[in-house]
Amino acid sequence: MVHSVNSSGGPPNPSVHVALRLARDHHLPTEGVLLQQLKVSAIEKVKHGDNFSSGLVALYSLAIAASCNNPANVSYKEDRIDLIEILQEKLTEEIKHIVNTTFPLTNYYQVSLDVLTLCVLERELPQDSVQILCEAAMKDKFKYGKEFSVDTGAVAALALRCVKGKPNTQCTFSALHKVLNQILHQVKDDGIIGNIYSTGLAIQALSANSDLVPSVQWNKTKSMYRLLSAIREGSFSNPQAASQITPSLECRTYLDVRELNCTADRSNLTVTTTSPPPTTQAVPITVEYNIVDGLTHSFNDAVNVSVLAGSPLIRVLEKARDLYPDRFSFNVTSTQWGPLLTTVRNLTASTENRTYWQLLSGTEPLGQGIGDYKPKDEERIVANYTQY
Ligand code: B12
């Protein structure tokens, strides 16, 4: 995460800042640089009217507060913005959208982040927001397709925990009970909760609600060790992925942002330079790439391409496009997780219509995106245009 701040050149990552702040050891010069980048970037986004989704505003606010700065008063040169007011407005829009259409403007992961942030920072929550989040939990809305999203449930459980006990929040008792049970249902024998990338957030949710989690139902040590072994296997080389497990590994949760004592920090983190992985002879592999319009069935096209072993999936897409530009053209959007596949041929993902390009290996959904997933020889990768 520290290296990503100094080398990325891309937009600053608020989730990485929260993680660095919640860690016990610090590299204060890097945290200072990232804090400044976040402030400038927030101001630029507001000034230029760039896309600034509610959850992203929440993460920026949480990050700035985690450095003991006031997100309601972010300034750079002669510009000044109030991120809390913006967050309250964005959450109000999400609530209105849910009331009108039954779906949030973005998704329930972000609505939960919004409620969590306003609560942790002890700011006023828009009317009905807690009630709406409770209802969503009770009506099983934390889903993409048919699957319960552990990540979403985990952030919702943190938000509900935070607001529990405040006036007019009686609904949180049954909502928490429901969501925690759904998360506990996803605990696997090896300690993974959901998948490896939701495990960190799930540990936070279960730890923050430990009084409601029967100890026979979850072995925290096992989940923590599973994360540590996954780090050694290289599953967390993406800084965004690393940022979502760090709080749990430091035995903290996002709720602890309100308790940070910045004056006590010491810059005691020794940053080691990672040596490049040993160079193995790169051999070519063959990957079948299949693009399917799963909604209106306007096309179903496949091609075999050859890439070097260890290449990320995006190389396969590029090869296919180079071979047949008309059939395999594609576009991506950069996100904190890496490139998100948004368009293939003439079909573009849309939040409004809740369509996206799902990635699969055969019939199994991939656990990573095109920037991180490394296909194997003879693997069949499917990009399927579908709805969530
Ligand atoms: C909501 C969500 C989605 C939605 C996003 C659209 C929407 N309007 O809601 C949909 C259903 C489209 C989606 C798709 C996918 N997702 Co998703 N998603 C999430 C979730 C639950 C919340 C994201 C969010 O809103 N974050 C908060 C906002 C403020 O941050 P943001 O960076 O602006 O959010 C955007 C990006 O995160 C982007 N996004 C969402 N998922 C993914 C996945 C990848 C690989 C990339 C590059 C970007 C991306 O969409 C967000 C909204 O615009 C996260 C959970 C998590 N722990 O982060 C998983 C998560 C990020 N997704 C994941 C995965 C694997 C995918 C898919 C690859 C699944 C698949 N097999 O097809 C696809 C992406 C395929 C592609 N086309 O490239 C993994 C990523 C793990 C990793 N190491 O890479 C996560 C962590 C879930 C998990 N535990 O497995 N996702």
Side-chain angles (χ1 to χ4, degrees), residues 51 53-57 59 105-110 113 144-145 149-152 155 194-199 201 235-236 238 240-241 244 333-342 349-352 354-360 364-372 388:
N51 182 21
S53 69
S54 73
L56 203 54
V57 178
L59 284 173
L105 212 48
T106 58
N107 55 54
Y108 277 110
Y109 182 95
Q110 299 198 30
L113 271 181
Y144 294 99
S149 160
V150 171
D151 313 67
T152 307
V155 181
N195 65 23
I196 194 72
Y197 296 108
S198 50
T199 302
L201 293 173
S235 305
F236 288 94
N238 180 325
Q240 172 66 13
Q244 293 194 348
T333 309
S334 332
T335 77
Q336 304 283 11
W337 282 99
L340 176 72
L341 181 62
T342 42
S350 144
T351 318
E352 206 186 324
R354 302 196 329 283
T355 52
Y356 79 114
W357 279 98
Q358 185 187 32
L359 302 169
L360 306 115
E364 255 326 284
L366 296 185
Q368 290 175 306
I370 55 173
D372 284 340
Y388 53 87

Side-chain angles (χ1 to χ4, degrees), residues 106-143:
T106 58
N107 55 54
Y108 277 110
Y109 182 95
Q110 299 198 30
V111 171
S112 303
L113 271 181
D114 303 344
V115 172
L116 170 70
T117 301
L118 288 172
C119 174
V120 167
L121 304 184
E122 295 178 345
R123 306 302 168 116
E124 202 180 323
L125 280 152
Q127 213 191 349
D128 298 337
S129 44
V130 175
Q131 194 61 40
I132 294 268
L133 193 58
C134 286
E135 269 172 35
M138 296 312 288
K139 289 185 182 157
D140 245 346
K141 298 272 186 177
F142 302 153
K143 283 184 172 172

